[in-house]
């Protein structure tokens, strides 16, 4: 019996989050640590809208990762809501990973975030230099120095989520700062997001791929209904609605004779089937919700709460 209690005393569980400028590899890093696709990763910045938790299960620990939207200077009501969401998240976690890419010089955005993090006194911050597979050894060494000059971090770790190099070191450093605690989630869980939210994010990701730069902020997805087809256990019916702000954006998403929307639907369906492990029928519609980013009522309706 002695072994059981000593191993329980050695188990750590708690919360971590990654912050950084938009598109610095936060979601990709979380997916690599969790080992499955949970947060959406898109080549477009500013695509993660919700706090999605990924869970890393280890024999000695459980690391629950809260993937926040990128911290940025807010320009719209949505931007302000995203930032307050990020800052409230920072005070509720046990450790913060501050992501800076190895292949881009440290800029004003990184300094802005480092200043914000300095205000979160009680939470240790580990600097994670991401995308090391895209940088030379010299670049990585220079970046480690540049990052260390930004603030007094608990640790600085270079990592490549793509190749997996140093992933275990990042996990070790985060876990080392978690409290002693029994597991907070059951063994098989990888996320505590409701499936509908994840499905909505996958549809959004598919809609963003290959679309011109003016669209990322302007697409919201609401999953109206998800249910098994009557009399069929092997097929799930999903009814989803995409919202954009202007008719011109709607035309871009639909594409010539509807080809683009069809492509978005089939790409999203494949991702959803992989996530849920079942065949899916996806009914995808698109509407214009004028200036929804600046309208508190519409923001609430689309799931962005105060």
């Amino acid at each position: 019996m002695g072994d059981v209690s000593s191993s329980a005393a050695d188990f750590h569980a708690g919360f971590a989050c990654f912050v950084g400028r938009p598109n610095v590899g936060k979601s990709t890093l979380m997916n690599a640590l969790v080992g499955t696709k949970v947060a959406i990763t898109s080549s477009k910045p500013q695509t993660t809208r919700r706090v999605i938790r990924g869970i890393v299960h280890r024999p000695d620990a459980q690391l629950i990762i809260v993937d926040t939207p990128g911290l940025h200077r807010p320009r719209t009501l949505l931007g302000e809501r995203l930032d307050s969401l990020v800052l409230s998240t920072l005070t509720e976690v046990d450790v913060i990973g501050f992501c800076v890419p190895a292949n881009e010089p440290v800029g004003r955005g990184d300094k802005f975030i480092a200043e914000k993090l300095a205000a979160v006194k009680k939470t240790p911050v580990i600097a994670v230099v991401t995308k090391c597979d895209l940088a030379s050894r010299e670049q990585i060494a220079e970046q480690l120095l540049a990052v260390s000059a930004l603030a007094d971090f608990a640790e600085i770790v270079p990592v490549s989520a793509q190749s997996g190099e140093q992933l275990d070191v990042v996990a070790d450093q985060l876990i080392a700062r978690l409290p002693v605690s029994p597991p907070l989630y059951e063994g098989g869980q990888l996320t505590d997001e409701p499936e509908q939210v994840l499905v909505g994010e996958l549809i959004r990701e598919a809609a963003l791929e290959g679309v011109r730069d003016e669209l990322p902020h302007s697409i919201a997805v609401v999953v109206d209904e998800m249910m098994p087809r009557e009399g069929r256990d092997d097929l799930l019916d999903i009814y989803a609605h995409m919202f954009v702000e202007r008719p011109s954006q709607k035309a871009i998403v639909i594409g010539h004779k509807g080809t683009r929307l069809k492509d978005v639907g089939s790409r999203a369906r494949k991702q959803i089937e992989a996530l849920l492990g079942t065949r899916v029928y996806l009914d995808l519609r698109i509407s214009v919700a004028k200036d929804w980013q600046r309208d508190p009522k519409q923001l609430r309706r689309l799931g962005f709460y105060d």
Side-chain angles (χ1 to χ4, degrees):
M1 284 299 285
D3 287 351
V4 173
S5 59
S6 68
S7 68
D10 295 338
F11 197 92
H12 292 252
F15 294 84
C17 73
F18 293 126
V19 295
R21 284 185 289 109
N23 215 28
V24 294
K26 301 184 294 293
S27 297
T28 307
L29 179 58
M30 188 188 86
N31 289 336
L33 285 166
V34 174
T36 189
K37 185 166 184 168
V38 185
I40 67 166
T41 56
S42 162
S43 53
K44 294 274 174 287
Q46 264 321 106
T47 54
T48 310
R49 283 253 177 80
R50 294 167 195 277
V51 182
I52 295 178
R53 294 169 178 82
I55 304 168
V56 181
H57 298 277
R58 295 207 325 196
D60 60 335
Q62 191 179 73
L63 175 69
I64 299 140
I65 303 167
V66 185
D67 189 44
T68 58
L71 262 171
H72 59 300
R73 290 188 171 87
R75 283 194 301 277
T76 63
L77 183 60
L78 175 64
E80 283 167 32
R81 204 156 287 178
L82 289 178
D83 273 5
S84 65
L85 187 69
V86 177
L87 291 171
S88 65
T89 301
L90 296 183
T91 58
E92 291 164 9
V93 297
D94 301 297
V95 58
I96 297 166
F98 172 40
C99 297
V100 182
N103 61 333
E104 296 170 29
V106 167
R108 278 193 326 199
D110 301 308
K111 289 173 184 157
F112 171 74
I113 293 165
E115 283 165 24
K116 292 263 190 195
L117 292 179
V120 187
K121 295 270 191 290
K122 289 180 181 158
T123 314
V125 180
I126 291 164
V128 184
V129 176
T130 59
K131 304 188 181 185
C132 283
D133 51 302
L134 301 178
S136 66
R137 282 185 177 281
E138 292 75 24
Q139 264 180 303
I140 295 167
E142 281 171 26
Q143 194 69 325
L144 292 173
L145 278 173
V147 169
S148 68
L150 280 175
D152 187 14
F153 296 111
E155 199 69 51
I156 303 177
V157 186
V159 68
S160 165
Q162 291 293 351
S163 71
E165 202 172 345
Q166 294 264 102
L167 258 183
D168 52 343
V169 179
V170 172
D172 288 345
Q173 289 296 340
L174 294 169
I175 284 167
R177 286 155 181 90
L178 300 182
V180 170
S181 160
L184 302 170
Y185 288 86
E186 289 167 24
Q189 266 184 297
L190 293 169
T191 173
D192 76 347
E193 277 291 357
E195 285 177 342
Q196 276 182 239
V197 173
L198 292 174
V199 166
E201 293 289 7
L202 289 173
I203 293 168
R204 215 166 155 262
E205 181 182 51
L208 288 175
E209 278 312 307
V211 164
R212 291 204 301 257
D213 291 340
E214 67 264 31
L215 247 66
H217 270 121
S218 306
I219 296 179
V221 176
V222 175
V223 176
D224 296 317
E225 226 174 339
M226 263 173 71
M227 55 195 178
R229 175 81 54 93
E230 209 171 320
R232 299 247 327 244
D233 297 336
D234 61 336
L235 184 65
L236 194 67
D237 287 330
I238 298 176
Y239 295 87
H241 218 120
M242 251 189 303
F243 293 92
V244 290
E245 292 194 305
R246 293 190 292 283
S248 59
Q249 295 170 335
K250 183 178 174 181
I252 291 169
V253 177
I254 289 175
H256 182 61
K257 293 188 174 170
T259 50
R260 198 156 188 302
L261 188 60
K262 199 178 278 183
D263 182 48
V264 168
S266 68
R267 247 208 317 255
R269 186 173 47 77
K270 285 192 187 103
Q271 293 274 15
I272 295 164
E273 288 179 340
L275 175 78
L276 301 179
T278 180
R279 286 187 54 217
V280 161
Y281 164 77
L282 177 61
D283 182 292
L284 187 55
R285 310 196 169 207
I286 181 163
S287 300
V288 176
K290 196 168 176 300
D291 293 333
W292 65 262
Q293 290 185 68
R294 296 172 190 280
D295 179 345
K297 257 205 217 96
Q298 297 210 64
L299 279 170
R300 271 197 296 278
R301 188 165 66 93
L302 297 175
F304 304 106
Y305 302 100
D306 296 326

